[in-house]
Amino acid sequence: MSVVEQYARAHIVTDADLPQEGDEAVPVVLRYDPANDPGSVRIRLPDSPEWTFSRSLLEQGLRVPAGSGEVRVWPCGRVQAVVEFHSAEGVCVVQFETKALLRFLRRTYMATPVGTRETSAGTHETSADSRETSVG
């Protein structure tokens, strides 16, 4: 199992009428560490803490609006997706190209397929109810 790290560009969405710094694409790091937490993905934005949430939430949110805890994900048209992060400081809304998130998800499933978990011996075991993933 290896760590999956992918760099992407995203737009920070603001509600301001005038052009803002957020209008330009910013670098974002998408990260998956199956040895640490095979069910979670991480997103690190510039000047922001790293957000950790379930890999299945990201996948579901690319098809239909989904949310859990402080994170919401939903499709935005045919080629974009929005990820919304809630914190004590406020809300951060980030718009991604869907293909970048799909590419990242595919790579995470190659590292640790759905229904596979690491056993205490460090080997992999596939659960009886594992299913095909619907990632593009």
Side-chain angles (χ1 to χ4, degrees):
M1 290 191 302
S2 60
V3 172
V4 174
E5 190 168 271
Q6 179 176 312
Y7 297 88
R9 308 276 302 158
H11 291 272
I12 307 296
V13 179
T14 67
D15 60 358
D17 292 332
L18 300 174
Q20 299 289 317
E21 183 179 328
D23 289 341
E24 295 298 318
V26 297
V28 176
V29 179
L30 308 169
R31 185 173 170 84
Y32 174 71
D33 185 353
N36 185 27
D37 188 357
S40 296
V41 294
R42 298 169 185 223
I43 295 180
R44 187 177 53 219
L45 305 169
D47 304 321
S48 176
E50 186 172 73
W51 292 89
T52 302
F53 57 98
S54 90
R55 175 170 72 165
S56 61
L57 172 64
L58 180 59
E59 180 182 352
Q60 181 182 8
L62 294 178
R63 294 185 312 267
V64 296
S68 178
E70 300 173 330
V71 179
R72 308 279 182 270
V73 182
W74 66 88
C76 181
R78 296 178 57 106
V79 297
Q80 296 178 332
V82 173
V83 182
E84 182 177 281
F85 302 104
H86 294 256
S87 70
E89 291 80 33
V91 178
C92 180
V93 180
V94 184
Q95 191 170 30
F96 290 90
E97 286 191 20
T98 302
K99 67 181 178 182
L101 296 176
L102 286 170
R103 184 173 39 252
F104 172 68
L105 280 171
R106 276 190 216 102
R107 292 179 65 208
T108 71
Y109 287 123
M110 288 172 52
T112 305
V114 174
T116 302
R117 60 184 171 88
E118 187 170 323
T119 65
S120 58
T123 59
H124 294 87
E125 172 179 290
T126 303
S127 66
D129 65 345
S130 66
R131 292 173 264 158
E132 282 277 325
T133 180
S134 61
V135 174

